[in-house]
Amino acid sequence: MVKRTSSSLRRHGDANEAAMDPSADAQLAKMGYTSELPRNLSMLSILGMSFAIMAVPFGLSTTMYITLTDGQSVTILYGWILVSLISLCIAASLAEICAVYPTAGGVYYWSAMLATPKYAPVASWVTGWLTLVGNWTLAVSINFAGGQLILSAITLWKEDYVPTQYQTVLMFWAVMLLCMSINIFGAKYLDIINKVCIYWTGASVLIILITLLSMADTKRSGKFVFGHYDASQSGWPSGWAFFVGLLQAAYTLTGYGMVAALCEEVQHPAREVPKAIVLSVVAAGITGVIYLIPILFVLPDVRLLLDVANGQPIGLLFKTVTGSSGGGFGLLFLILGIWLFAGVGALTAASRCTFAFARDGAIPGSRIWKRVDKRFDIPLYALFLSTLVGCLLGLIYFGSSAAFNSFTGVATICLSTSYGLPILVSVLRKREKVKYSTFSLGKFGFAINIATLCWICLATVLFCMPVSLPVEADAMNYASVVFAGFAGISVVWYFVRGRRGFKGPPVPREDGDGEGEAVAVDGTGEKKLDEGETKRVEKAS
């Protein structure tokens, strides 16, 4: 990597906005990158995007079959609270690092900065591929579940309808293209879209809460809601089933770290993005509790919900409680609106992650994927690649629906481990690089970091487990297989190209006057490039 100079140019009248915070572009240049994207997103917008990607009511609804199998009320409610607290620790750990290194590279860049020069390239390579695959598969799982949920609406009127594989995949492709189109033609409205998501989600949760509690003919007791535990459907030992059921909450509370990829589109990223990461988890945790408790109070027969042919019981739940197909669809429509915000936000984050990783030459065809389209001021080709990869992954559904469903686990594993690696490196280096962070965890930092690392290790094992036993081929959790497949691609590409050509992101080095200069890092140490050499390398690239 080479030193790059900051650009003050902006399109669509954003030059005045950029002038409001020249330090943001200066800090980015100090980290070795040119500012190419307009800084037109606010903290509330980033908070909205993070909140949208987690899409609490949508995520909890589409994965409800997991907790209905593995413990029911206790797993649903207390599992959510437990994972919310753990996620808050992870979010705080990431926010502390983000305040020091606010760049679109996110965890991939942080691993390189926190590691020693000798291990920076391999640390950034591993973290980068984990977060890239995690971003891609999360966007895929969100939009595939969205497609399934749309098709499930048909069963509100035609209960025996079961969509074919072709119908499911075609619907998935349609929603992927819809989300891509909104990212392209609505790029300048993303700030508004992300803010609207907060109000839509809040209003939807309140409407669902009031409707369910007011229209239910019968209600469960408080003892059932807060103390019922039944893991008999899982086949797992009673205690272990609770932990397997945590996948519902962990999958939903995953995408908060992805918004670091938007750092280069925020006015004051070192201050605003860390706050947005943490506040989004707090907001998601509270929203989940408010959403889950009324659902548990009106929960129909569990066996009836688990026997739904399309695997999406939430529509049937709404229909049963309201007593009509129209009423059920009205509530389902609110969930579908939340899905759309999530699908758009996940694809936005995935495209920015792809752009940032390609910028440092870590993806085949990086010269194409790192380009920023000047018409829309977005990394258009990275968006195309993220959409194309998702659509191709959808073909797996023709071979095995269980294998495709494992992308839920893969996204959770990849993103969790990618979050854990920079935290691990920081702990191993005694947190020296973050001790002056403007979002410091202070004396609790070590304890919080260690707690998050222990959870991530446990989660990696848990989310490779099948939801229930005995295991058959069509119900097997193939998360470990899919994860190993992507890991194999990463390793092969490293030996084909990365070992020789990948230097990692540019590493800032402090000069005597305190001004930082970006330098390349290879496997043996640092290499400072003079101005002439920088120009020659830039011209060659």
Side-chain angles (χ1 to χ4, degrees):
M1 289 298 100
V2 297
K3 180 178 179 181
R4 303 175 177 88
T5 58
S6 176
S7 171
S8 61
L9 297 178
R10 287 290 183 275
R11 292 167 57 84
H12 304 308
D14 288 322
N16 292 333
E17 293 185 13
M20 292 169 58
D21 183 29
S23 63
D25 285 353
Q27 185 176 10
L28 185 63
K30 186 176 179 180
M31 289 187 286
Y33 296 110
T34 299
S35 181
E36 300 180 81
L37 300 171
R39 294 188 182 274
N40 53 10
L41 299 181
S42 63
M43 191 279 285
L44 186 61
S45 178
I46 296 298
L47 171 61
M49 175 170 288
S50 181
F51 194 59
I53 293 173
M54 287 185 281
V56 175
F58 169 77
L60 291 175
S61 298
T62 55
T63 55
M64 187 171 291
Y65 70 94
I66 298 173
T67 43
L68 290 177
T69 303
D70 291 304
Q72 299 176 27
S73 297
V74 167
T75 306
I76 290 173
L77 184 57
Y78 298 110
W80 174 260
I81 294 172
L82 174 62
V83 175
S84 294
L85 294 174
I86 295 171
S87 298
L88 185 60
C89 292
I90 300 175
S93 299
L94 295 178
E96 183 181 45
I97 302 172
C98 182
V100 181
Y101 305 109
T103 175
V107 290
Y108 140 75
Y109 186 90
W110 304 341
S111 289
M113 296 304 101
L114 296 170
T116 61
K118 180 179 180 180
Y119 294 105
V122 67
S124 61
W125 181 275
V126 172
T127 308
W129 273 96
L130 283 172
T131 192
L132 182 65
V133 173
N135 274 259
W136 283 345
T137 52
L138 186 64
V140 169
S141 61
I142 287 173
N143 285 315
F144 191 84
Q148 285 183 314
L149 204 59
I150 292 172
L151 291 173
S152 75
I154 299 175
T155 62
L156 296 176
W157 287 273
K158 190 177 180 181
E159 294 184 4
D160 60 345
Y161 171 72
V162 179
T164 65
Q165 290 179 325
Y166 283 99
Q167 289 171 332
T168 302
V169 172
L170 288 174
M171 179 59 72
F172 164 63
W173 285 350
V175 300
M176 284 291 288
L177 293 176
L178 172 63
C179 292
M180 183 188 72
S181 299
I182 294 174
N183 265 282
I184 296 173
F185 300 106
K188 59 183 178 180
Y189 303 113
L190 284 180
D191 184 69
I192 298 174
I193 292 172
N194 294 334
K195 292 175 182 176
V196 170
C197 170
I198 299 175
Y199 299 108
W200 179 281
T201 303
S204 297
V205 170
L206 289 177
I207 292 171
I208 292 171
L209 181 153
I210 295 170
T211 303
L212 293 181
L213 293 180
S214 62
M215 296 190 68
D217 293 329
T218 59
K219 295 184 178 66
R220 301 278 190 170
S221 66
K223 182 179 179 181
F224 176 89
V225 172
F226 298 103
H228 177 73
Y229 184 78
D230 181 5
S232 60
Q233 301 288 335
S234 70
W236 288 109
S238 182
W240 185 248
F242 172 82
F243 291 99
V244 174
L246 294 179
L247 176 59
Q248 181 194 33
Y251 166 67
T252 305
L253 292 169
T254 296
Y256 48 85
M258 294 168 63
V259 296
L262 280 296
C263 276
E264 294 174 28
E265 299 171 60
V266 180
Q267 278 292 329
H268 305 276
R271 182 185 70 200
E272 307 293 5
V273 178
K275 287 196 298 185
I277 291 174
V278 173
L279 289 175
S280 66
V281 176
V282 174
I286 296 172
T287 301
V289 172
I290 297 173
Y291 179 70
L292 289 172
I293 290 179
I295 283 183
L296 290 175
F297 268 111
V298 302
L299 196 69
D301 179 66
V302 173
R303 188 69 262 172
L304 178 68
L305 296 177
L306 289 176
D307 287 340
V308 173
N310 56 33
Q312 296 291 342
I314 192 65
L316 177 61
L317 187 153
F318 289 157
K319 176 183 176 180
T320 303
V321 174
T322 60
S324 69
S325 299
F329 179 75
L331 297 183
L332 186 63
F333 178 79
L334 297 175
I335 301 295
L336 288 173
I338 295 171
W339 153 71
L340 186 58
F341 288 113
V344 172
L347 200 55
T348 301
S351 67
R352 302 313 193 263
C353 175
T354 304
F355 159 75
F357 206 32
R359 188 167 56 181
D360 291 318
I363 305 175
S366 290
R367 292 185 179 182
I368 298 174
W369 317 127
K370 70 180 182 181
R371 296 177 186 172
V372 175
D373 186 271
K374 298 304 180 184
R375 291 169 298 172
F376 302 105
D377 275 332
I378 61 171
L380 185 62
Y381 296 101
L383 178 62
F384 286 156
L385 178 63
S386 301
T387 306
L388 177 62
V389 169
C391 290
L392 292 177
L393 290 176
L395 295 174
I396 295 177
Y397 192 73
F398 288 118
S400 170
S401 60
F404 186 86
N405 292 336
S406 296
F407 282 119
T408 300
V410 173
T412 307
I413 292 170
C414 285
L415 288 176
S416 296
T417 50
S418 72
Y419 296 163
L421 282 174
I423 298 172
L424 175 62
V425 175
S426 179
V427 169
L428 292 177
R429 300 201 68 189
K430 300 180 180 180
R431 293 173 42 84
E432 286 294 322
K433 294 290 187 74
V434 297
K435 62 182 180 181
Y436 298 118
S437 171
T438 56
F439 201 92
S440 175
L441 299 180
K443 60 182 180 180
F444 300 105
F446 266 112
I448 293 174
N449 290 166
I450 295 298
T452 64
L453 293 173
C454 290
W455 161 252
I456 289 170
C457 291
L458 175 62
T460 302
V461 176
L462 281 178
F463 303 147
C464 291
M465 301 287 179
V467 173
S468 61
L469 298 175
V471 181
E472 298 178 359
D474 61 348
M476 179 62 186
N477 186 343
Y478 290 94
S480 57
V481 178
V482 178
F483 178 80
F486 278 116
I489 294 173
S490 171
V491 170
V492 169
W493 185 245
Y494 180 78
F495 283 102
V496 170
R497 172 66 187 272
R499 185 173 56 173
R500 296 191 305 271
F502 181 72
K503 303 299 182 182
V507 178
R509 184 170 68 187
E510 296 297 324
D511 295 332
D513 59 1
E515 292 297 322
E517 182 171 14
V519 297
V521 176
D522 57 22
T524 58
E526 296 184 350
K527 178 183 178 183
K528 182 177 179 180
L529 303 180
D530 59 31
E531 184 177 355
E533 189 175 4
T534 295
K535 290 180 179 179
R536 289 194 298 273
V537 176
E538 285 184 329
K539 183 177 181 181
S541 62

